[in-house]
Amino acid sequence: MKHTIFIVDDEESIRQALRGVLEDDGYKTAEVATGEDALKWMAEEGHRASAVLLDVWLPKMDGIEVLQNLRKTHPDIPVIVLSGHATIDTAVKATKLGAYHFVEKPFSAEHLLLTLGHALKENRLEQENTRLRKDAPPTARQIIGQSPLFLRMMDEIQSAAQSGASVLVLGENGTGKESVAHLIHEQSPRKDGPFVEVNSAAIPEELIESELFGHEAGSFTGATGRKSGKFDQAHQGTLFLDEIGDMSLKTQAKMLRVVQEQRFERVGGNKTIEVDVRVIAATNKNLEEEIRQGNFREDLYYRLAVLPIQVPPLRERVGDVPLLVNHFLAHITAAYRQKPRPIHPDAMAVLTRYHWPGNIRELRNIVERMIIMTRDPEIGVKDIPPAVTMAVSQQNGVAVSAVGPAAGLAGTYREAKEAFERAYITAQLDRHGGNISRTAEAIQMERSNLHKKMKQLGIQHE
Ligand SMILES: Nc1ncnc2c1ncn2[C@@H]1O[C@H](COP(=O)(O)OP(=O)(O)OP(=O)(O)O)[C@@H](O)[C@H]1O
Ligand SMILES: [Mg+2]
């Protein structure tokens, strides 16, 4: 099938040049000159387009606005933004809106075709994977580990499950707090009752009480009928209060009473409702510190933390890393209907030495990304995201090449140099929260040069 590429540029000469390059390479093209026409064409013919080449600088409706619209109407079609050097800031804005590919004007045919090829390939893989994942049966929630810290936590989970007391699950991001909460419920005598989840950080302050306790009709604008709350729903089961550290003091006060007395009133109602609910709360905050700062009620803390369970960060149980990597490799390849693929021992060694700031969630994401990005029969060091390889080599005070034969010593000189540059810049950007100006200053490079380098190396950064 020939891909159709949709060109949006107000300059006739540029459209003509693009058309020439693309058609010579076997693509079909369609083109318009304005943002308004672009949206019109996409609404009618958009299904035919495999990719859009979009000029950022257009008269009237500019490229950014077009992009914003396309993200909503055609999220699956990759947009390659064409920008002149003077419009770099606009280009950065475009990245935030989800344009991951850029071609700088004046463009070289070779670069344009390369970027386009890359965008199409990535898009195809992404769609294939989303489709496979949709068809895949949900993988059972499993908790894996055998390190001493992990086994101790499993013991605590066992005893907590048997007792009916409130549990407070503590741990960094992505360590498995929610998984632990589920496990406690599943192993408790309440396992046949409901497990209901509330995320305090995700619900707007003005709605949280109605969410938790329900409301009577007409109790506030928008409250049309009577609604039951999460506490009702969790009757004879478990209520999981996630991100409890983000709950406002006002809601904490109400929460205290329910946890203590197992009764409450709906918002706008005066009938007292009694429930039988086991509460498990979780947070990645240091609640003792929050208490000192006056952000968290001490009495509620003691109510919730009858049984505190600390979920250890992955870096304190690196012995579990190989186990987890293999577990996710097996599960994710199966979910994608792929044959199981092994990982090279060098690559495993790098992963084991990484400090895992995002813990198990980060590990899972990295394994998934490696599976998506390489079709090789074995996953190797070269498939590990450069930021990880770089962090590992920095923390060990050695050059990238020392982390494994494939990392820096393979390929041509130019490829090796680019691999290093990519790893270095990605790591520095991460270190400076993705802020290009600050990164440029820190590594003593002109901001515009850094930007150019990033583009050239295909580094995308939000
Ligand atoms: N011990 C484990 N074995 C296997 N997978 C795990 C384990 N712990 C957590 N996971 C997986 O890691 C991911 C993150 O876990 P979970 O959501 O429970 O963590 P969390 O601490 O609640 O994260 P966050 O801080 O982002 O809320 C999930 O995909 C979960 O299935
Ligand atoms: Mg969580």
Side-chain angles (χ1 to χ4, degrees):
M1 184 198 85
K2 268 191 178 182
H3 285 293
T4 297
I5 310 302
F6 181 45
I7 302 167
V8 187
D9 200 307
D10 59 322
E11 278 178 71
E12 164 65 32
S13 60
I14 293 189
R15 289 201 305 274
Q16 196 182 341
L18 288 168
R19 195 192 318 138
V21 170
L22 293 172
E23 287 178 357
D24 283 350
D25 215 55
Y27 292 104
K28 288 201 278 192
T29 61
E31 57 187 67
V32 295
T34 68
E36 291 82 351
D37 284 345
L39 296 185
K40 214 159 96 204
W41 190 90
M42 286 299 287
E44 286 157 15
E45 309 277 336
H47 57 276
R48 290 204 283 129
S50 297
V52 179
L53 289 179
L54 176 66
D55 184 17
V56 273
W57 206 90
L58 294 168
K60 282 204 279 182
M61 181 189 287
D62 72 358
I64 293 292
E65 205 176 331
V66 175
L67 181 62
Q68 234 158 357
N69 269 291
L70 292 185
R71 277 300 112 206
K72 280 187 228 134
T73 56
H74 297 82
D76 295 339
I77 300 182
V79 177
I80 297 167
V81 170
L82 304 169
S83 80
H85 198 63
T87 48
I88 286 278
D89 283 340
T90 326
V92 171
K93 205 160 138 203
T95 336
K96 298 211 174 106
L97 291 172
Y100 293 120
H101 305 276
F102 292 91
V103 169
E104 197 175 324
K105 283 183 184 176
F107 61 87
S108 84
E110 189 194 10
H111 184 61
L112 174 77
L113 292 171
L114 210 68
T115 309
L116 179 60
H118 196 74
L120 291 172
K121 177 174 169 219
E122 217 174 84
N123 195 247
R124 181 174 56 76
L125 289 176
E126 228 168 68
Q127 296 205 359
E128 214 169 286
N129 283 311
T130 333
R131 184 174 53 74
L132 286 169
R133 181 144 49 169
K134 254 194 239 140
D135 296 348
T139 45
R141 192 187 301 275
Q142 262 178 297
I143 292 203
I144 309 280
Q146 52 177 213
S147 60
L149 271 180
F150 177 83
L151 295 176
R152 201 169 80 198
M153 178 184 84
M154 290 304 270
D155 279 346
E156 290 169 3
I157 290 175
Q158 279 297 340
S159 13
Q162 296 317 312
S163 104
S166 305
V167 180
L168 179 61
V169 186
L170 299 158
E172 293 175 11
N173 291 328
T175 43
K177 298 181 294 298
E178 184 174 342
S179 315
V180 165
H182 274 277
L183 192 63
I184 296 173
H185 173 73
E186 281 154 24
Q187 303 199 343
S188 75
R190 295 172 178 264
K191 63 176 184 296
D192 297 321
F195 180 91
V196 177
E197 209 179 310
V198 184
N199 185 331
S200 319
I203 302 170
E205 171 59 25
E206 62 278 13
L207 291 183
I208 187 132
E209 284 178 22
S210 136
E211 190 74 18
L212 286 167
F213 311 119
H215 61 244
E216 297 294 341
S219 53
F220 56 89
T221 357
T224 40
R226 162 194 281 186
K227 189 180 148 239
S228 75
K230 300 284 184 182
F231 265 101
D232 300 62
Q233 293 163 20
H235 184 52
Q236 298 193 324
T238 303
L239 181 65
F240 176 46
L241 299 172
D242 205 359
E243 320 263 5
I244 187 91
D246 291 303
M247 189 174 272
S248 74
L249 285 163
K250 183 163 156 259
T251 311
Q252 287 174 35
K254 300 215 167 171
M255 186 58 79
L256 177 69
R257 172 158 173 249
V258 200
V259 177
Q260 262 170 347
E261 302 174 10
Q262 299 268 317
R263 55 168 114 191
F264 60 91
E265 286 88 39
R266 295 217 170 92
V267 175
N270 42 27
K271 193 171 128 244
T272 300
I273 297 160
E274 291 199 28
V275 283
D276 165 24
V277 169
R278 199 272 175 95
V279 172
I280 303 179
T283 182
N284 55 19
K285 291 196 173 161
N286 177 343
L287 287 188
E288 280 158 358
E289 182 55 35
E290 295 298 314
I291 293 170
R292 266 193 295 281
Q293 308 251 337
N295 299 325
F296 204 85
R297 292 182 67 113
E298 192 168 14
D299 44 11
L300 179 61
Y301 173 74
Y302 286 114
R303 275 287 158 183
L304 295 174
V306 179
L307 298 170
I309 293 187
Q310 188 77 46
V311 188
L314 196 49
R315 66 176 173 283
E316 285 175 16
R317 49 182 184 111
V318 287
D320 288 339
V321 169
L323 208 66
L324 287 163
V325 169
N326 286 324
H327 167 78
F328 289 129
L329 270 175
H331 273 263
I332 298 168
T333 46
Y336 288 162
R337 311 255 163 91
Q338 295 180 3
K339 275 202 230 105
R341 282 189 279 167
I343 179 165
H344 192 278
D346 284 348
M348 191 68 103
V350 173
L351 295 179
T352 310
R353 282 197 256 154
Y354 183 51
H355 61 294
W356 298 111
N359 294 294
I360 301 188
R361 165 157 314 124
E362 184 183 13
L363 182 140
R364 191 191 187 288
N365 289 344
I366 284 178
V367 172
E368 179 161 16
R369 181 162 149 199
M370 295 194 301
I371 291 171
I372 293 177
M373 293 318 273
T374 174
R375 297 270 149 138
D376 295 350
E378 186 183 55
I379 290 167
V381 174
K382 64 168 189 354
D383 304 316
I384 298 177
V388 173
T389 336
M390 193 62 201
V392 169
S393 47
Q394 271 176 347
Q395 118 208 354
N396 291 283
V398 290
V400 163
S401 58
V403 298
L409 301 180
T412 61
Y413 174 73
R414 205 187 71 174
E415 281 164 0
K417 184 174 134 237
E418 281 188 3
F420 174 79
E421 288 179 324
R422 195 172 294 120
Y424 178 72
I425 291 175
T426 311
Q428 292 294 339
L429 279 164
D430 281 349
R431 176 177 288 182
H432 296 95
N435 184 312
I436 298 181
S437 306
R438 262 191 287 142
T439 308
E441 197 183 300
I443 65 176
Q444 301 188 8
M445 192 172 182
E446 286 282 334
R447 190 182 181 284
S448 58
N449 281 343
L450 174 59
H451 214 282
K452 213 147 98 198
K453 204 80 209 167
M454 285 169 64
K455 245 186 192 177
Q456 181 194 331
L457 295 166
I459 299 173
Q460 290 128 10
H461 225 79
E462 272 110 77

